[in-house]
Amino acid sequence: MPGNGGDFEFGQDMADKTGSDVWLVWYPLLPDASAAEIVKAAVNVYSKAVTMYKPENISLFGLSAGAGLSLAVCVHIKEKKMNLPLPKKLVLFSPTVMLPPSEDHQKKMIELAKNDCEFPPEFMNIMIRFPKIAKTEGCDYLFSPSNYSWSGFPPMCVFYGSDEPLSPQLDVIKSKCRSDGVMLETHIGEGMMHCWAAADFLPEAHKARAEIYKFIIANQTNIRTSSTPR
């Protein structure tokens, strides 16, 4: 999918507010590409970034699928034992970390989809089946990065809307970060839908963005950011 004005507006705002270089990464999509091809595309961009910036000055940011892909990049680097340093920070907005979810989470996700303007219950039923119908080719961590070790991963800042169907996945993230020793900061947008920070006309979006930018620049100078949009 081509980028739209909202993607560039968000990227420009991030650059202006953090003093960072912001890369918007376009990657191939299902079903035209396999999971492995999608992850490889993102890893290739990250590999280029670490030749231009110090890894301690790189953060990965993602919205929705881009958030899951940001996690998958780190899992891929670790699982494939690549000679690549991990980024300094991860900012994940409405990520999916386990598909299919548990039966309890499936029920909650389908119920919450009734309140989310972006995710009807019918789509959630399809999304839950993604790992079965997509070409994973040994790269199922694109759909379920929580099934792999996060030990050594950088600090994470995670956002969910209280009314979005993916919010039950926060329980999985909290448990995984505790077990693997990953620092975690969480934000819940009360009454908010999926990826509300992308809707720049919402006052709540600007509040969420301020938290994103604060996390990125905290305790760092001359930060550079690689961004993975939806």
Side-chain angles (χ1 to χ4, degrees), residues 3-122:
N4 60 45
D7 293 319
F8 290 100
E9 182 276 328
F10 199 167
Q12 185 64 64
D13 188 53
M14 183 180 290
D16 291 343
K17 299 293 175 52
T18 65
S20 306
D21 289 347
V22 177
W23 293 18
L24 281 80
V25 181
W26 264 257
Y27 48 90
L29 302 175
L30 298 168
D32 297 326
S34 68
E37 289 170 332
I38 294 170
V39 174
K40 182 179 179 181
V43 171
N44 285 344
V45 175
Y46 179 70
S47 298
K48 178 67 174 178
V50 297
T51 69
M52 300 176 64
Y53 311 104
K54 295 179 180 179
E56 59 266 28
N57 288 334
I58 299 176
S59 299
L60 295 183
F61 168 78
L63 292 162
S64 192
L69 182 54
S70 296
L71 261 177
V73 166
C74 294
V75 173
H76 183 87
I77 290 171
K78 184 170 183 178
E79 289 294 313
K80 300 301 182 182
K81 296 181 172 58
M82 298 181 68
N83 187 28
L84 276 177
L86 293 175
K88 183 67 173 180
K89 296 179 181 179
L90 289 171
V91 185
L92 311 176
F93 213 108
S94 299
T96 299
V97 297
M98 180 178 286
L99 286 179
S102 66
E103 289 187 11
D104 180 54
H105 279 181
Q106 286 186 35
K107 293 177 182 178
K108 291 179 181 178
M109 291 165 73
I110 292 172
E111 185 65 27
L112 283 166
K114 298 176 182 178
N115 301 325
D116 195 306
C117 59
E118 293 195 51
F119 275 120
E122 295 79 10

Side-chain angles (χ1 to χ4, degrees), residues 20-229:
S20 306
D21 289 347
V22 177
W23 293 18
L24 281 80
V25 181
W26 264 257
Y27 48 90
L29 302 175
L30 298 168
D32 297 326
S34 68
E37 289 170 332
I38 294 170
V39 174
K40 182 179 179 181
V43 171
N44 285 344
V45 175
Y46 179 70
S47 298
K48 178 67 174 178
V50 297
T51 69
M52 300 176 64
Y53 311 104
K54 295 179 180 179
E56 59 266 28
N57 288 334
I58 299 176
S59 299
L60 295 183
F61 168 78
L63 292 162
S64 192
L69 182 54
S70 296
L71 261 177
V73 166
C74 294
V75 173
H76 183 87
I77 290 171
K78 184 170 183 178
E79 289 294 313
K80 300 301 182 182
K81 296 181 172 58
M82 298 181 68
N83 187 28
L84 276 177
L86 293 175
K88 183 67 173 180
K89 296 179 181 179
L90 289 171
V91 185
L92 311 176
F93 213 108
S94 299
T96 299
V97 297
M98 180 178 286
L99 286 179
S102 66
E103 289 187 11
D104 180 54
H105 279 181
Q106 286 186 35
K107 293 177 182 178
K108 291 179 181 178
M109 291 165 73
I110 292 172
E111 185 65 27
L112 283 166
K114 298 176 182 178
N115 301 325
D116 195 306
C117 59
E118 293 195 51
F119 275 120
E122 295 79 10
F123 179 79
M124 289 312 303
N125 280 313
I126 296 172
M127 186 174 181
I128 288 167
R129 293 189 292 115
F130 269 179
K132 293 183 179 180
I133 62 179
K135 297 173 287 185
T136 59
E137 295 182 357
C139 196
D140 58 324
Y141 41 79
L142 178 62
F143 304 103
S144 298
S146 62
N147 288 339
Y148 295 81
S149 172
W150 291 2
S151 178
F153 277 20
M156 297 182 190
C157 185
V158 177
F159 292 77
Y160 284 108
S162 66
D163 287 357
E164 74 161 296
L166 294 181
S167 58
Q169 302 241 325
L170 181 58
D171 293 341
V172 179
I173 294 174
K174 287 180 176 179
S175 176
K176 189 67 178 174
C177 286
R178 281 196 300 268
S179 65
D180 289 0
V182 178
M183 293 181 61
L184 175 66
E185 178 179 313
T186 62
H187 297 270
I188 299 294
E190 291 300 326
M192 290 292 101
M193 70 291 197
H194 183 69
C195 288
W196 77 94
D200 69 308
F201 55 88
L202 293 174
E204 294 88 349
H206 292 276
K207 293 179 181 178
R209 292 185 185 192
E211 294 296 335
I212 292 169
Y213 305 155
K214 183 170 70 173
F215 183 80
I216 288 174
I217 64 177
N219 302 319
Q220 297 192 43
T221 57
N222 300 320
I223 206 167
R224 307 287 182 172
T225 303
S226 176
S227 175
T228 308

